[in-house]
Amino acid sequence: MLCSSDQKVLDDSRTRDKPMELILGKKFKLPVWETILHSMQEGEVAEFLCDTKHVVLYPMVSKSLRNIAAGKDPMEGQRHCCGIAQMHEHQLLGYPDLDELQKNPQPLIFAFEVLKVETPGTYQQDPWAMSDEEKMKAVPLIHQEGNELYKEGKVQEAAAKYYDAIACLKNLQMKEQPGSADWIQLDQQITPLLLNYCQCKLLNEEYYEVLDHCSSILNKYEDNVKAYFKRAKAHAAVWNAAEAQADFAKVLQLDPSLTPVVTRELRNLESRLREKEDEDKIRFKGIFSQ
């Protein structure tokens, strides 16, 4: 909160999907937060007034926290340099309140509620908090967790795991030259995870996201049967009959062994189209005579 008469709130983790998480010893935070936490116990609620000198970098930290809440890379737009250099380089942060605070630093009030304290080795870090080596080691584990959740029917939770694994690899890929051997190798690891993610989205009826992701895969890998099949199902679900039929035809061309599955999907599509046509006839019957 601002140190003002109305104590205007800048950020509140209660409005987000989950509490803020801090890892002692990591640099993604204000040093004063570590001092605050060391003085508190689990379950305690307290407010701390911090002098300007301790919070001058808060605008940059806040932007990263807001990026995380929006599902973005917390370090988006930042290059590797000290915080002061970043502040000089980036005059605007994209948030009017943070831009104003960066321009006119002032004391801040932090209200902390310590919900839980975990011992070293028991906490599973978010992808943004991992080192490059930790990301590579975590991907197969997160992938497996996603698969287990999917088998249990926990589709939404599985999608979140696949998303985390993709985020790890995407972050690593951003550091490679596009088209290089290392970039391609990472992309080939991303693709099956993205297809698993699309399967979850299909089940959750988020069809347009499936169309976007599968098309991005096919722009790079024109012979990916699974991408064609999932895109075909998504097209069929949103009544893009011609596009669905074209994608199903491509599936058969690439893998004739899938003929029984594709035939069943095409019959389902034809049946749904007939039902829709009959419904439309009833709905619009007599509309012009009236």
Side-chain angles (χ1 to χ4, degrees), residues 109-129:
I109 299 171
F110 296 109
F112 272 80
E113 178 182 4
V114 181
L115 299 178
K116 186 178 181 181
V117 178
E118 299 188 3
T119 56
T122 61
Y123 173 69
Q124 184 172 351
Q125 300 181 58
D126 284 334
W128 61 262

Side-chain angles (χ1 to χ4, degrees), residues 12-254:
D12 185 353
S13 66
R14 291 185 181 89
T15 65
R16 298 166 183 170
D17 291 337
K18 63 178 182 178
M20 183 173 70
E21 299 169 350
L22 293 173
I23 307 171
L24 297 185
K26 290 284 186 178
K27 295 181 180 180
F28 178 70
K29 57 177 173 50
L30 296 180
V32 70
W33 284 353
E34 194 158 316
T35 303
I36 289 172
L37 286 173
H38 275 302
S39 71
M40 297 181 68
Q41 296 182 355
E42 189 171 303
E44 184 179 353
V45 180
E47 287 190 4
F48 299 84
L49 172 60
C50 299
D51 292 339
T52 304
K53 64 181 180 181
H54 296 303
V55 297
V56 68
L57 294 180
Y58 182 77
M60 294 294 296
V61 174
S62 176
K63 178 184 177 181
S64 294
L65 289 172
R66 295 180 188 189
N67 280 347
I68 291 171
K72 301 178 182 177
D73 185 339
M75 308 311 288
E76 182 180 282
Q78 299 182 28
R79 65 181 178 86
H80 295 290
C81 58
C82 70
I84 295 295
Q86 288 174 358
M87 289 177 66
H88 284 298
E89 181 174 323
H90 302 281
Q91 297 299 317
L92 298 177
L93 297 174
Y95 299 96
D97 55 344
L98 299 182
D99 291 335
E100 176 61 28
L101 185 59
Q102 181 170 268
K103 182 179 178 182
N104 299 300
Q106 57 183 285
L108 295 177
I109 299 171
F110 296 109
F112 272 80
E113 178 182 4
V114 181
L115 299 178
K116 186 178 181 181
V117 178
E118 299 188 3
T119 56
T122 61
Y123 173 69
Q124 184 172 351
Q125 300 181 58
D126 284 334
W128 61 262
M130 298 178 184
S131 67
D132 288 355
E133 183 178 355
E134 288 170 336
K135 287 185 177 74
M136 285 302 297
K137 290 182 178 178
V139 166
L141 299 177
I142 300 173
H143 191 172
Q144 183 60 35
E145 289 174 1
N147 290 345
E148 293 298 326
L149 288 167
Y150 184 83
K151 291 176 184 177
E152 294 171 8
K154 299 176 180 178
V155 177
Q156 193 69 28
E157 293 87 344
K161 289 294 182 182
Y162 295 138
Y163 182 92
D164 284 345
I166 292 167
C168 286
L169 294 171
K170 284 283 190 182
N171 183 269
L172 295 170
Q173 192 183 42
M174 288 172 60
K175 301 176 183 180
E176 303 294 340
Q177 180 68 30
S180 67
D182 289 337
W183 188 94
I184 292 173
Q185 184 179 22
L186 288 166
D187 203 61
Q188 290 172 342
Q189 290 179 260
I190 291 170
T191 299
L193 284 162
L194 191 53
L195 287 168
N196 286 356
Y197 180 78
C198 285
Q199 179 61 28
C200 295
K201 293 301 176 180
L202 271 176
L203 294 176
N204 285 335
E205 301 182 356
E206 298 177 51
Y207 303 119
Y208 289 102
E209 189 169 355
V210 176
L211 293 175
D212 288 341
H213 289 312
C214 287
S215 294
S216 71
I217 291 173
L218 292 169
N219 285 337
K220 293 176 288 187
Y221 307 105
E222 297 179 354
D223 59 348
N224 193 298
V225 177
K226 290 183 178 180
Y228 275 115
F229 187 79
K230 295 182 193 304
R231 191 173 72 173
K233 286 178 69 77
H235 274 309
V238 297
W239 304 105
N240 296 336
E243 291 85 347
Q245 290 164 348
D247 278 350
F248 280 132
K250 192 68 176 179
V251 170
L252 291 179
Q253 178 186 333
L254 293 170

